[in-house]
Amino acid sequence: MKDNKNTTTDIDYANEAVPKEGRKGFVTMFMIMLGFTFFSASMWVGQQMAAGLDFYGFIKSLLLGGIILGIYTGLLGYVGAKTGLSLDLLSKRAFGEKGSYISSAMISFTQIGWFGVGVAMFAIPVSAEIFGGSEAAKWILVLVAGGCMTASAYFGIDSLTVISYIAVPLVAILGTVAMVMAVSQGNGTIVDQFAVSSGSITVIGGAGMVIGSFVSGGTATPNFARFAKDAKSGTIATVVAFFIGNSLMFFFGAIAYIFVGGNDIFEVMIRLNLFYMAILVLGLNIWTTNDNALYSAGLGLANIFGQKKKPMVLISGIVGTLLSVWLYYNFCNWLNVLNCTLPPVGIILVMSYFMNKKAYDEDRVPQRTVNWFAVIGVILGAVVANVFTWGIASINGMVVAAICYGAGQLIAQDSKTAENA
């Protein structure tokens, strides 16, 4: 029985499926998902790819990685939109009531970490450009940026929607204009400029970088896709937005490397004397990802501690803001390691839905305390993803997790059949 009071006050439906009246149209979902992919750290990957691939290798890696990432996030988007459930509510059904804490903790930890890194990615270069690297100015910018981004996540999905509608067109248009201006001022065509790359990265290696750059954030797709009006629109919005948004970020990073030897479109715009536009694009670009990251962290912590989402978002924002500079300089490598732990979670959520589709559709998925096969699958998948260097790390982890979870499902089915015999 639903709590009517909670239904009317919680526009984010943290503890229940999103009802029909809470669903949103395709354009709104597309803008939210596109804004989510505007992730400045993806530009770092674009820089690395431009340094190690020629133009055609870059495009092949982008397409291959984008297709794999699109399949993964598209499946999660479908499940989220079809059920109306957040990642954490799906985890309760796949991992068990207590078992879901592992996925909630992992998504919360990584998203708070990336939130902090994002805040510093805005404050540090802006304070250097305007205030000559003043320590006081840097921390003022950290607090202001962190406060604004936390506020938009605190007020929920409607606030995320407003930010996305403002930021997405501005970042896409201004960033693209700067990219075209930079290429036109370079020596030769864009193909010629890529040709100076070292050739140290293979297409498969580049595809792995594309996938790894956003696979942790992509695992949180159900948190947003659940608001789509139906599964079809939620899936299409996710796949198309993620491919366009990620591709744009990789190109921004690649052009920054070729044009100024940097890794952010901000540096390109500064070189082009587009100072105020550079600050606007940098801030909005980070904001659209950071508020989504904090929103997911709040949902995860709310599941673990049995609290409402809003105070958990506030706590997450405070922690991420205060630790932002330290996270920026010390924690990025650890966050990249943690990124490999989340794809096993995502693939188990997808398998749980499709292997128990009728139970999900009828909202009668049996609740258990811990599904140990799911938990072990995530642990083994994470280990394999981080230890084995062959292939693409995130896919290796997903394969191992899928085998473990699938084996558990078959054993459970056999046991049920034996009991009924």
Side-chain angles (χ1 to χ4, degrees):
M1 185 174 179
K2 292 181 179 178
D3 184 344
N4 292 328
K5 183 177 179 182
N6 184 55
T7 301
T8 57
T9 57
D10 183 12
I11 63 169
D12 293 300
Y13 306 98
N15 299 309
E16 61 184 304
V18 178
K20 286 185 178 180
E21 59 269 22
R23 302 294 183 116
K24 300 181 182 297
F26 176 82
V27 175
T28 295
M29 291 308 305
F30 179 76
M31 296 297 275
I32 291 172
M33 301 309 278
L34 189 58
F36 188 24
T37 65
F38 282 6
F39 183 37
S40 288
S42 293
M43 296 189 210
W44 297 354
V45 175
Q47 174 208 22
Q48 294 168 357
M49 291 171 66
L53 291 162
D54 63 18
F55 180 74
Y56 297 108
F58 180 87
I59 295 297
K60 290 175 184 177
S61 293
L62 193 153
L63 289 173
L64 178 59
I67 289 170
I68 296 172
L69 190 61
I71 293 171
Y72 175 68
T73 56
L75 287 170
L76 284 168
Y78 177 88
V79 173
K82 186 70 174 178
T83 62
L85 299 173
S86 67
L87 178 144
D88 303 285
L89 294 180
L90 289 169
S91 293
K92 282 187 175 182
R93 288 154 175 79
F95 289 84
E97 183 76 23
K98 303 297 184 184
S100 68
Y101 293 173
I102 186 172
S103 59
S104 293
M106 287 159 56
I107 197 74
S108 298
F109 192 56
T110 53
Q111 296 309 293
I112 292 171
W114 283 120
F115 171 85
V117 171
V119 170
M121 287 176 70
F122 172 77
I124 292 171
V126 172
S127 65
E129 287 293 334
I130 299 178
F131 304 105
S134 164
E135 193 70 15
K138 178 180 70 178
W139 276 104
I140 290 172
L141 287 170
V142 163
L143 295 174
V144 171
C148 289
M149 294 170 189
T150 300
S152 61
Y154 179 85
F155 290 110
I157 193 67
D158 289 342
S159 180
L160 302 186
T161 302
V162 171
I163 296 297
S164 294
Y165 266 103
I166 294 170
V168 166
L170 285 171
V171 172
I173 294 170
L174 294 176
T176 301
V177 168
M179 183 171 62
V180 172
M181 290 174 64
V183 171
S184 66
Q185 293 182 20
N187 298 319
T189 66
I190 188 171
V191 176
D192 296 330
Q193 293 174 53
F194 264 90
V196 299
S197 298
S198 65
S200 58
I201 299 174
T202 64
V203 170
I204 297 297
M209 294 168 71
V210 169
I211 297 166
S213 70
F214 203 71
V215 74
S216 65
T219 303
T221 296
N223 287 339
F224 311 101
R226 65 195 173 111
F227 287 97
K229 66 178 181 179
D230 55 48
K232 181 180 178 181
S233 66
T235 305
I236 294 173
T238 298
V239 173
V240 176
F242 275 27
F243 182 77
I244 293 174
N246 280 319
S247 298
L248 201 58
M249 293 300 106
F250 297 136
F251 265 108
F252 284 177
I255 296 304
Y257 171 75
I258 290 169
F259 187 65
V260 297
N263 58 22
D264 199 305
I265 198 68
F266 172 80
E267 297 165 293
V268 175
M269 297 179 83
I270 292 294
R271 179 71 65 88
L272 293 169
N273 296 318
L274 303 173
F275 180 75
Y276 295 107
M277 287 186 183
I279 293 175
L280 180 65
V281 167
L282 180 67
L284 291 177
N285 188 45
I286 292 170
W287 196 337
T288 57
T289 304
N290 264 16
D291 57 4
N292 285 320
L294 210 57
Y295 180 86
S296 292
L299 288 173
L301 293 179
N303 178 49
I304 295 170
F305 297 107
Q307 301 295 319
K308 292 184 177 180
K309 176 191 72 73
K310 284 188 174 182
M312 295 296 99
V313 167
L314 195 59
I315 292 170
S316 300
I318 292 171
V319 171
T321 299
L322 294 179
L323 294 178
S324 61
V325 175
W326 182 84
L327 288 166
Y328 180 81
Y329 287 114
N330 298 283
F331 209 52
C332 284
N333 289 335
W334 282 106
L335 286 171
N336 287 325
V337 169
L338 289 169
N339 280 352
C340 291
T341 67
L342 288 169
V345 171
I347 200 65
I348 286 174
L349 298 186
V350 170
M351 290 183 66
S352 176
Y353 173 78
F354 284 106
M355 294 182 79
N356 304 279
K357 190 173 186 300
K358 188 175 181 181
Y360 272 89
D361 291 344
E362 296 175 358
D363 195 21
R364 56 175 183 81
V365 180
Q367 295 290 315
R368 64 183 81 184
T369 303
V370 178
N371 182 339
W372 287 108
F373 282 96
V375 172
I376 292 171
V378 168
I379 294 171
L380 289 180
V383 170
V384 168
N386 282 292
V387 171
F388 285 86
T389 58
W390 180 86
I392 297 174
S394 54
I395 294 179
N396 294 342
M398 284 192 276
V399 169
V400 171
I403 292 171
C404 287
Y405 181 78
Q409 286 290 100
L410 291 175
I411 291 171
Q413 272 186 350
D414 289 343
S415 298
K416 188 174 181 181
T417 301
E419 288 175 5
N420 294 332

